[in-house]
Amino acid sequence: MGYWVRLCLSVLYFSLISPSSAIVDADNDDYEVPIPSTLDGPFKPVTVPLDRTFRGNAMDMPHTDPLLQTTAQGFQPQQISLSLSSSHNSVSISWITGEFQIGDNVEPLDPNSVASVVRYGRFRRSMSHRATGYSLVYSQLYPFEGLQNYTSGIIHHVRLTGLRPNTLYQYECGDPSLSAMSDVHYFRTMPVSGPKSYPNRIAVVGDLGLTYNTTSTVDHITSNHPDLILLVGDVTYANLYLTNGTGADCYSCAFSDTPIHETYQPRWDYWGRYMQPLISSVPIMVIEGDHDIEPQAENQTFVAYSSRFAFPSEESGSSSTLYYSFKAGGIHFIMLGSYTSYDKSGDQYKWLGRDLASVDREVTPWLVATWHAPWYSTYKAHYREAECMRVEMEDLLYEYGVDIVFNGHVNAYERSNRVYNYTLDPCGPVYITVGDGGNREKMATTHADEPGECPEPSTTPDDFLGGFCAFNFTSGPAAGNFCWDRQPDYSAFRESSFGHGILEVKNETHALWIWHRNQDFYESAGDEIYIVRQPQNCPPFKPAT
């Protein structure tokens, strides 16, 4: 049976069944494979055995790779990317002109020397609209002799407004006065916010980096034709390099005597060049990870992350690029910062309360939260590291009825049962860890519940924010212990493999989640489930105001 025949039969079949019943197996013509839903849970924990024949080619791409080069000349735009604003009628276009500099003495380019202009219009119509924005240059400076400083090219951000929902646009960016405009690129706006209005596919990936396994992940994402990409922290891993370009899989192991944690900032430029074919047309929304901290002189952090992407922080009432929110159809996304204060007395927590209180679940039924360091992960790596953040914020997310949480940080895949305070709860979120994008640190393979693998509690606090909140469990099956002695009940499925996920929200109550392994064929699913909301049984305990 041919592909298109199978596809047509699948569409016909789906028109006759409820979303949580079954799906036609694209790889087998003889039977239908049922897809479970969260209504069938909680599920017995499953661990897929480690495939030791496939660890992934997690080796960084060298700067000489043609995919990391640019064909831009002079002040022609390069590293073009697209991001969403807080609503469907606005997007931001970002790009870089001019070349970076790295060495002992660097002279920043003048950001006012090149204009920030986008010409745009609806597809197959003239690009008669024009928008202007702003530009900046950032530096990564080190107060130690012998370290090479860096200054970026000119980074441009232009926000387009007044766009129509779910509409294909074309655009070119650059400075027309210098005859330095880009090729024509295309993007589709998000659908209008509403309970029956959703993007078709949202790709979710974390800890991406720039390895040959990254290329496999990005190829898989591209083949799934997403409308939006969520990158849940750890973008380039430039901080696995010294300023002279020497890199290692483990910075602290190889460079333990450096006076400051160095970075090799050109890796950000290589990443932007490599990703341009995808993210110049598909909007990417990013939240910071620990590898994006990048400390430098005067205690500055997150400078590259905050400079290179456009964030709807101001539009969503946030004063920081490290946390913000936005809408995509009937989904309200909350992007939280694991590496900025999350105390109840702090700005982020107060902003989160205001943002959650503003969500109208009649308009945006789905509430999805993301941050980098997971609260519910059973891998030894980073086990209970973000416990202080969970203690501060979990009650608030639960009270407002968050449906799904996406995290990275742990370089593996894991999906939870619905859980709250380490206890199975039919109204708790489903937590999904997708820190398996392909970075050079390689995969996490050891679980904290395996004999002899439970980490010492003193090793678990987050180094950046400090604080210690991860104590022994006081109740439940693990009472009196720091780790479970078996895969915890809240862990439904875990597997060590590189990949990415696709979220397809079908309606107000059903969303299909599919996780794809890199080593599988593009259409194959490593894990899939319908996540089902039950607003009649689990309404937000704190309604919007």
Side-chain angles (χ1 to χ4, degrees):
M1 185 184 295
Y3 170 78
W4 290 109
V5 175
R6 293 202 305 272
L7 179 62
C8 291
L9 287 176
S10 297
V11 172
L12 175 62
Y13 182 69
F14 265 107
S15 69
L16 299 175
I17 63 171
S18 67
S20 61
S21 299
I23 189 169
V24 174
D25 182 4
D27 296 321
N28 194 313
D29 300 329
D30 299 324
Y31 62 90
E32 296 159 1
V33 177
I35 297 179
S37 84
T38 51
L39 298 182
D40 303 319
F43 299 96
K44 239 179 126 177
V46 171
T47 299
V48 176
L50 178 65
D51 182 357
R52 297 190 179 277
T53 65
F54 182 83
R55 288 298 305 274
N57 188 9
M59 181 172 62
D60 267 352
M61 301 172 69
H63 71 276
T64 54
D65 192 293
L67 294 176
L68 310 189
Q69 306 305 306
T70 179
T71 58
Q73 297 181 350
F75 287 104
Q76 287 182 322
Q78 59 167 293
Q79 304 179 51
I80 303 170
S81 65
L82 180 72
S83 60
L84 297 181
S85 186
S86 59
S87 60
H88 69 271
N89 61 1
S90 178
V91 303
S92 289
I93 311 294
S94 304
W95 69 94
I96 294 181
T97 54
E99 284 302 310
F100 66 81
Q101 304 167 59
I102 186 166
D104 296 329
N105 298 299
V106 293
E107 288 291 332
L109 298 174
D110 179 5
N112 297 316
S113 63
V114 185
S116 307
V117 177
V118 174
R119 293 171 174 162
Y120 65 101
R122 291 163 64 188
F123 180 56
R124 290 183 176 170
R125 299 193 181 187
S126 64
M127 291 185 288
S128 56
H129 298 282
R130 175 187 170 110
T132 59
Y134 67 96
S135 57
L136 60 98
V137 169
Y138 83 87
S139 297
Q140 184 83 9
L141 306 176
Y142 297 101
F144 298 99
E145 186 176 351
L147 302 189
Q148 298 188 49
N149 293 320
Y150 170 95
T151 184
S152 70
I154 301 171
I155 302 171
H156 305 261
H157 299 297
V158 177
R159 184 180 170 199
L160 314 185
T161 59
L163 304 176
R164 299 189 178 196
N166 199 28
T167 300
L168 187 62
Y169 282 85
Q170 55 189 357
Y171 74 93
E172 58 181 9
C173 59
D175 185 343
S177 69
L178 299 177
S179 298
M181 296 296 286
S182 71
D183 294 334
V184 176
H185 298 274
Y186 306 87
F187 68 88
R188 181 174 293 278
T189 53
M190 290 292 106
V192 67
S193 292
K196 300 185 183 301
S197 179
Y198 300 96
N200 290 326
R201 292 185 187 89
I202 300 168
V204 188
V205 64
D207 304 70
L208 196 55
L210 194 57
T211 69
Y212 287 112
N213 209 284
T214 305
T215 65
S216 176
T217 301
V218 172
D219 286 347
H220 278 71
I221 290 174
T222 303
S223 72
N224 278 318
H225 306 291
D227 303 290
L228 171 64
I229 301 169
L230 297 182
L231 177 49
V232 293
D234 285 356
V235 183
T236 69
Y237 289 81
N239 76 334
L240 292 184
Y241 285 79
L242 301 179
T243 61
N244 63 12
T246 303
D249 294 350
C250 171
Y251 183 98
S252 61
C253 306
F255 313 123
S256 59
D257 58 348
T258 55
I260 190 172
H261 194 130
E262 303 175 31
T263 76
Y264 187 62
Q265 288 294 300
R267 297 298 296 183
W268 284 91
D269 295 283
Y270 304 151
W271 189 92
R273 294 169 183 173
Y274 172 74
M275 292 294 291
Q276 176 179 306
L278 177 60
I279 63 177
S280 60
S281 296
V282 181
I284 184 168
M285 304 302 288
V286 184
I287 198 66
E288 84 278 4
D290 57 306
H291 285 275
D292 308 317
I293 298 172
E294 299 187 331
Q296 58 166 298
E298 300 181 354
N299 296 317
Q300 292 190 76
T301 53
F302 298 109
V303 178
Y305 159 88
S306 296
S307 300
R308 290 174 178 268
F309 299 104
F311 302 93
S313 300
E314 183 178 349
E315 302 138 70
S316 60
S318 168
S319 60
S320 172
T321 60
L322 304 181
Y323 52 90
Y324 60 93
S325 66
F326 67 96
K327 295 177 178 63
I331 313 169
H332 186 90
F333 287 97
I334 298 173
M335 314 289 279
L336 296 178
S338 294
Y339 303 98
T340 186
S341 173
Y342 37 68
D343 294 342
K344 287 184 173 66
S345 60
D347 290 342
Q348 179 177 206
Y349 187 92
K350 293 175 182 177
W351 168 83
L352 175 60
R354 294 192 302 269
D355 191 79
L356 287 168
S358 71
V359 178
D360 185 347
R361 302 299 283 270
E362 296 297 320
V363 178
T364 51
W366 287 88
L367 192 51
V368 177
T370 77
W371 60 88
H372 186 59
W375 298 347
Y376 290 98
S377 169
T378 62
Y379 287 85
K380 182 177 181 179
H382 308 300
Y383 180 69
R384 301 182 70 185
E385 183 179 286
E387 189 75 357
C388 287
M389 184 182 182
R390 186 193 69 81
V391 169
E392 294 291 314
M393 289 186 161
E394 185 176 26
D395 286 351
L396 192 58
L397 298 183
Y398 180 78
E399 289 167 356
Y400 278 98
V402 168
D403 299 298
I404 309 171
V405 172
F406 291 114
N407 304 119
H409 200 39
V410 177
N411 302 149
Y413 174 74
E414 187 165 16
R415 170 176 54 82
S416 80
N417 286 304
R418 290 192 177 276
V419 61
Y420 166 66
N421 195 23
Y422 290 105
T423 303
L424 297 178
D425 189 313
C427 297
V430 174
Y431 290 81
I432 299 174
T433 298
V434 286
D436 55 345
N439 73 83
R440 72 178 289 173
E441 287 184 313
K442 300 183 172 61
M443 290 182 289
T445 60
T446 305
H447 307 107
D449 48 85
E450 294 173 10
E453 298 297 345
C454 182
E456 284 295 321
S458 61
T459 67
T460 60
D462 167 56
D463 292 334
F464 184 65
L465 293 179
F468 181 79
C469 303
F471 300 99
N472 287 357
F473 293 104
T474 58
S475 60
N481 297 310
F482 191 69
C483 303
W484 292 55
D485 59 3
R486 56 179 171 82
Q487 184 174 356
D489 294 340
Y490 60 79
S491 174
F493 182 95
R494 62 189 185 186
E495 180 175 354
S496 297
S497 183
F498 289 127
H500 78 286
I502 295 289
L503 180 68
E504 300 179 11
V505 178
K506 304 296 185 181
N507 53 41
E508 302 98 311
T509 58
H510 286 70
L512 177 62
W513 167 253
I514 305 176
W515 173 64
H516 296 272
R517 304 182 189 93
N518 277 2
Q519 65 265 40
D520 293 340
F521 291 113
Y522 291 153
E523 67 272 16
S524 297
D527 179 39
E528 54 186 340
I529 190 170
Y530 276 102
I531 299 172
V532 183
R533 297 181 62 245
Q534 293 183 284
Q536 70 284 4
N537 296 334
C538 300
F541 300 105
K542 281 191 176 179
T545 58

